[in-house]
């Protein structure tokens, strides 16, 4: 069995960070032939990717298996915000708020400055937000500011919150209604350019430290010393199934974690839906706008401008029962709720005809933190590391805090090893792959994704390496280019 005795310093990357079909086939074949690893990570979302990077940079040998593509699950359906944890303060969850502020600082300053940018938010005052609610919001915003400073994020990175006049608010978001507008609170948070791309950057960084990143490999049964896995793309054994041997197994399958934990982990998934509308339909805002809900002025629907000329309107938070679908859908009721809620603070309420794209995801929230009939919006976004039958399951949390979740899971494994411990966590000091290299035009991006990012199908390119698939019309326009990029690579080999 592979020894866990390793140096405590992070090594420099020793392998290329390029992922392609040939590397996948080679590494998968070696594992199918019986090669064992120190750590098997199951799940290629943001948590699994960070777990692979954490383990590899502690000097452990790692395989990550993902039954679809990287970021196939919830990690591509997020609101793409690296939250400082403001809304957790409203729930009195200072621990989660502090962790969020700290992880946001690491993402912005160290790991992924190329994928994270500051984003101004406006909370209009007046109309739906009366003076009492406004005063309460001021207190929360200033506490959030104190956490920002304590976490080490400078004012140059994320300016302090301040009150602005109605005129300034409308300059930043011209679609705002001036009915009863007394001004606005302007505060700043961080926006992730693209969540799927963040997963990819973490996975490629793990690959650069030797992790085997194996997409389209499904884990069917987990044990403390490995898993039965199946190659669902090609075949590594006669029927694609083989026993993958590992000294430790991490279950990072998000909203599906309960299925693989044999009932040891109970989740209470909640569905969150978003709509995409052209920025022009909302007056081309330069700042995100928060609209308070009709029944609770401290909770909001937001309209967030994106770098691609769209505005994302979100988000719902409703308990989701029943089997977990691969792709959750936005229903008409949610769409009507989001449009009417944001319309409360706008000159013109957007209509279904403005909506050019929709997406929904399921939050992997932990059950047992509230009574069964409590709203999922009130469930904590805390994460948990749970051991069962020798397997370590890490679940809950957020895109923003996934690095910390992975660290906690690997610390649990390190604690098992006693004297023979792997090195300490170093992921809070690692710059992710791509942080020093800007992307080119679309065709180049697609070719790059085929050559280096393990894109094997047109949908990998359109739905996760780029996010063109979010708008059906864009998807259709780019489909041919995606086929060409894949065909070009096939001819070259
Ligand atoms: C609508 C919505 C908005 C959100 N917005 C934000 C936000 O703005 N900011 C923020 O910080 N957080 C946000 N979150 C939370 C965040 O997106 C999630 O907490 C996070 O993405 C979960 O990541 P994960 O890796 O645990 O799960 P996933 O991304 O779901 O990854 C799990 C992976 O496991 C794979 N898998 C499942 N079963 C198997 C198997 N048997 N074998 C192999 N692989 C398997 C799946 O295919 C999947 O890719 C949001 C969540 C939702 C739903």
């Amino acid at each position: 069995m592979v020894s866990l005795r390793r140096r405590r310093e992070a090594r420099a990357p020793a392998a290329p960070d390029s992922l392609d079909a040939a590397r996948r086939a080679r590494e998968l074949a070696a594992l199918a032939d019986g090669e064992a690893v120190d750590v098997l990570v199951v799940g290629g979302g943001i948590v699994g990717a960070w777990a692979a990077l954490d383990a590899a940079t502690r000097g452990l040998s790692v395989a990550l298996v993902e039954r679809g593509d990287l970021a196939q699950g919830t990690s591509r359906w997020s609101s793409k915000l690296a939250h400082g944890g403001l809304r957790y303060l409203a729930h009195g969850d200072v621990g989660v708020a502090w962790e969020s502020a700290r992880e946001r600082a690491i993402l912005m300053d160290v790991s992924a400055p190329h994928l994270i940018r500051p984003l101004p938010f406006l909370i209009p005052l007046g109309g739906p937000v009366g003076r009492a609610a406004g005063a309460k919001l001021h207190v929360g915003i200033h506490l959030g500011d104190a956490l920002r400073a304590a976490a080490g994020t400078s004012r140059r990175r994320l300016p302090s919150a301040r009150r602005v006049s109605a005129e300034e608010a409308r300059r930043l978001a011209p679609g705002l209604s001036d009915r009863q507008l007394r001004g606005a609170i302007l505060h700043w948070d961080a926006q992730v350019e693209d969540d799927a791309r963040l997963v990819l950057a973490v996975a490629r960084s793990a690959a650069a430290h030797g992790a085997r990143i194996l997409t389209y490999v499904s884990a069917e049964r987990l044990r403390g010393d490995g898993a039965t896995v199946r190659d669902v793309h090609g075949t590594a054994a006669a029927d694609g199934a083989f026993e993958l041997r590992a000294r430790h197994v991490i279950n990072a399958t998000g909203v599906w974690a309960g299925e693989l934990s044999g009932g040891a982990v109970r989740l209470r998934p909640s569905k969150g839906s978003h709509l995409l509308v052209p920025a022009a339909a909302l007056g081309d805002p330069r700042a995100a706008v928060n609209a308070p809900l009709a029944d609770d002025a401290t909770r909001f629907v937001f309209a967030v401008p994106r770098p691609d000329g769209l505005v994302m309107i979100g988000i719902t938070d409703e308990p989701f029962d029943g089997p977990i679908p691969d792709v959750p859908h936005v229903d008409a009721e949610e769409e009507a709720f989001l449009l009417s809620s944001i319309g409360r603070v706008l000159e013109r309420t957007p209509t279904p005809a403005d909506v050019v794209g929709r997406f929904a995801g399921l939050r992997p929230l932990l059950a047992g933190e509230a009574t069964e009939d409590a709203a999922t919006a009130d469930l904590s976004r805390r994460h948990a590391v749970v051991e069962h039958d020798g397997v370590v399951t890490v679940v809950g949390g957020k895109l923003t805090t996934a690095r910390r979740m992975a660290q906690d899971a690997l610390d649990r494994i390190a604690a098992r090893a006693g004297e023979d411990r792997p090195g300490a966590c170093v992921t809070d000091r690692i710059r992710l792959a791509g942080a020093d290299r800007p992307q080119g035009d679309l065709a180049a991006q697609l070719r790059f994704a085929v050559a280096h990012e393990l894109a094997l199908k047109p949908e990998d390119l359109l739905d996760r390496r780029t996010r063109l698939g979010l708008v059906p019309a864009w998807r259709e326009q780019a489909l041919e280019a995606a086929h060409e990029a894949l065909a070009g690579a096939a001819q070259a080999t």
Side-chain angles (χ1 to χ4, degrees), residues 115-385:
L115 292 176
I116 317 270
R117 71 175 115 249
L119 178 72
F121 279 81
L122 288 168
I123 305 177
L125 299 172
V129 184
R131 289 186 193 275
K136 200 170 160 193
L137 286 165
H138 262 294
V139 173
I141 296 276
H142 286 294
L143 274 174
D145 218 34
L147 287 183
R148 168 199 58 74
T153 304
S154 71
R155 283 208 184 96
R156 271 184 45 223
R157 265 266 190 241
L158 286 183
S160 291
R162 64 186 169 92
R163 167 99 188 234
V164 295
S165 66
E167 291 70 35
E168 187 170 352
R170 277 170 52 85
R171 265 200 302 279
L172 288 166
L176 272 181
S177 163
D178 59 5
R179 279 187 315 273
Q180 302 173 321
L181 188 65
R182 284 190 284 111
I185 300 173
L186 173 66
H187 68 100
W188 294 74
D189 215 326
Q191 182 178 33
V192 183
E193 179 174 317
D194 184 68
D195 42 12
R197 194 143 276 287
L198 181 64
V199 174
L200 209 57
V202 182
R204 284 181 53 217
S205 305
H209 288 272
R212 300 142 176 92
I213 305 293
L214 305 169
T215 56
Y216 298 102
V217 176
S218 172
E220 305 200 331
R221 203 166 60 83
L222 307 187
R223 299 180 307 275
D225 63 352
T228 309
V229 301
R230 184 179 297 275
D231 178 4
V232 293
H233 182 63
T235 47
D239 66 350
F242 66 93
E243 297 302 313
L244 199 161
R245 293 193 300 130
R247 201 156 170 199
H248 303 277
V249 177
I250 296 178
N251 172 15
T253 52
V255 78
W256 294 274
E259 295 171 11
L260 282 175
S261 77
V265 176
R266 279 201 321 119
L267 297 179
R268 187 151 179 243
S270 115
K271 185 172 157 203
S273 293
H274 299 91
L275 309 175
L276 296 170
V277 299
L282 267 59
D284 290 310
R286 285 186 288 129
V289 171
N290 276 323
L293 297 191
D295 57 355
D296 181 353
T298 61
R299 287 184 48 217
F300 302 98
V301 162
F302 53 68
V304 172
R306 293 163 38 107
D308 55 11
L310 297 174
V311 170
M312 174 183 68
I313 302 175
I315 186 177
T316 56
D317 196 335
E318 291 299 325
F320 183 90
D321 298 316
I324 306 293
D326 284 344
V327 179
H329 292 286
V330 179
D331 57 46
E333 207 179 309
E334 289 174 298
E335 182 162 324
F337 163 78
L338 290 171
L339 293 175
S340 65
S341 299
I342 199 69
R344 296 180 77 220
V345 298
L346 299 180
E347 202 67 61
R348 170 188 170 269
T349 300
T351 71
D354 293 312
V355 178
V356 295
R358 307 160 172 81
F359 63 95
L362 297 177
R363 300 177 185 84
L365 302 185
L366 291 162
E369 300 231 340
T371 55
E372 281 301 312
D373 55 355
T376 47
D378 296 329
L379 284 183
S380 170
R381 268 48 173 173
R382 241 174 286 153
H383 65 267
V385 177

Side-chain angles (χ1 to χ4, degrees), residues 42-48 65-83 88 217-220 252-256 259-260 270-274 315-316 359-364 394-401 405:
V42 181
I46 192 66
V47 176
V65 296
E66 159 58 54
R67 70 174 169 195
D69 186 17
L70 290 166
Q72 179 85 25
T74 307
S75 295
R76 69 176 149 141
W77 304 128
S78 81
S79 306
K80 295 143 188 60
L81 299 172
H83 289 292
Y88 312 114
V217 176
S218 172
E220 305 200 331
T253 52
V255 78
W256 294 274
E259 295 171 11
L260 282 175
S270 115
K271 185 172 157 203
S273 293
H274 299 91
I315 186 177
T316 56
F359 63 95
L362 297 177
R363 300 177 185 84
V394 53
V395 74
K398 306 184 302 146
L399 193 79
T400 315
T401 56
M405 294 171 69

